[in-house]
Amino acid sequence: MSGKNATETVWADDAGIARAARIVRGGGIVAVPTETVYGLAARADDAAAVAKIYHAKGRPGVNPLIVHVDTLHQAETLAHFSDAAKALAARYWPGPLTLVLPLLGGAPVTAAVSAGLPTIAVRMPAHAAMRALIRESGCPLAAPSANRSNAVSPTSAAHVAATLDGRIDLILDAGPCEKGVESTIVAVRHDGTIDVLRPGPITIEATAGQDAASAVGGRLEAPGQMASHYSPGKPVRLNADSAQADEYLIGFGHIAGHDNLSASADLEEAAGALYAALHRAGDSGFAKIAVAPVPHTGVGIAINDRLRRAAA
Ligand code: TXA
Ligand code: MG
């Protein structure tokens, strides 16, 4: 680890990925872009490397990590795939969907990855840089979002450096993340029903008797889904149609603001812009943040979930 020295950022070209993979193979931790947010990656089978992730983030040990794979075969060495799980993987992978499945005995992951749960969260990301890093590292990679615990998630290399500079071994830069909010997390039950544990870019209907919003609001099954999260470090007021004098207004649609998530009220564009706007609002000279209303449909459900936690 680089101690108090600055962490180097390198472009995620072949040379950058080769260098990152060498670090990961040797038990280090590197930030890497995915299509959702930047992740902080380590070998999932290396207890000391995974411990570095928890330490760098200041993350409580009870909050398990998502394991990222390059192939379905690799995923099947980690978790039991029921027919329902296979169908979800076939439809949405590679992409922003994380499956919480029964952990296989003897799976090549260190215990801290799943924080002692009988399940494991698995995802096959769509970003070429992350896929290449997994391939060249030669094993599944545990990777939470690359931010200090409870801070706003990173959608650029600069956001990563803002909270993890000097605490991690390397940052791979591939520009802004396309989706902008973290993957949808679903738990697939033994009977084939699914619960949505975290809303995200993929809108899936829960079949276990709850819709996405109530499943997330009503339970804390994904241990990271605490009420307060994604904190920009100042008070946040939601559903604002104008700014008070001391507020930085994040607009949407016709509500212009100091920032606008999407002037054309496009929810995908708004998701992509969300965390950068929260970072700018946090860095601004304004004491408080206000956010315009965002429609509660499609990825708007995920945007509102993150905003509610930022305001909590
Ligand atoms: O898009 C994403 O999912 C990003 C990128 C880097 O892949 N990762 C991400 O990781 O958002 P993180 O650690 O910030 O959020 C992972 C969430 C946490 O809320 C954690 O509690 C939950 O997944 N989780 C992990 N393993 C779980 C399990 N076995 N059961 C239930 N929830 C789990
Ligand atoms: Mg996170």
Side-chain angles (χ1 to χ4, degrees):
M1 294 256 291
S2 35
K4 61 180 158 51
N5 300 320
T7 301
E8 205 180 327
T9 296
V10 299
W11 195 245
D13 55 13
D14 289 352
I17 287 168
R19 185 169 157 196
R22 271 197 305 277
I23 293 171
V24 167
R25 284 197 302 271
I29 55 175
V30 303
V32 52
T34 82
E35 76 276 33
T36 57
V37 300
Y38 277 67
L40 178 60
R43 301 181 62 102
D45 62 358
D46 181 332
V50 168
K52 287 181 191 170
I53 290 182
Y54 281 93
H55 178 75
K57 283 180 62 80
R59 181 174 177 117
V62 295
N63 190 0
L65 308 179
I66 297 173
V67 178
H68 297 70
V69 298
D70 182 45
T71 63
L72 190 56
H73 175 258
Q74 207 170 39
E76 286 172 337
T77 67
L78 306 174
H80 171 70
F81 279 72
S82 62
D83 288 344
K86 281 183 191 151
L88 286 167
R91 174 148 180 211
Y92 294 110
W93 282 0
L97 178 69
T98 295
L99 298 175
V100 171
L101 304 173
L103 174 63
L104 280 186
V109 292
T110 188
V113 164
S114 53
L117 295 172
T119 54
I120 185 166
V122 191
R123 156 163 131 82
M124 187 193 293
H127 198 291
M130 178 54 141
R131 294 291 287 284
L133 183 64
I134 302 168
R135 226 163 22 242
E136 292 194 27
S137 300
C139 68
L141 300 183
S145 53
N147 52 276
R148 290 282 294 203
S149 197
N150 291 336
V152 176
S153 298
T155 52
S156 73
H159 294 162
V160 175
T163 67
L164 293 178
D165 191 23
R167 305 183 66 82
I168 63 179
D169 295 311
L170 189 71
I171 301 172
L172 282 177
D173 185 354
C177 301
E178 182 201 339
K179 300 291 182 191
V181 293
E182 297 86 345
S183 61
T184 304
I185 304 180
V186 304
V188 185
R189 309 298 179 195
H190 289 295
D191 63 1
T193 59
I194 63 173
D195 272 325
V196 178
L197 306 185
R198 179 175 72 183
I202 291 174
T203 314
I204 293 181
E205 296 271 314
T207 57
Q210 302 191 25
D211 66 20
S214 66
V216 168
R219 307 190 192 185
L220 288 177
E221 183 172 337
Q225 293 297 91
M226 300 89 165
S228 176
H229 208 130
Y230 313 106
S231 169
K234 347 182 140 160
V236 177
R237 180 170 70 91
L238 302 180
N239 297 315
D241 51 18
S242 63
Q244 314 281 316
D246 59 350
E247 285 176 339
Y248 183 100
L249 177 63
I250 298 176
F252 178 85
H254 67 275
I255 300 176
H258 299 88
D259 235 296
N260 196 314
L261 297 179
S262 171
S264 63
D266 179 294
L267 288 170
E268 266 82 35
E269 183 185 24
L274 177 66
Y275 290 140
L278 283 172
H279 278 277
R280 278 192 295 274
D283 293 342
S284 75
F286 292 86
K288 298 177 180 171
I289 300 169
V291 190
V294 174
H296 206 68
T297 71
V299 74
I301 296 170
I303 295 173
N304 285 320
D305 169 74
R306 308 306 190 268
L307 285 172
R308 202 169 56 243
R309 294 173 206 284

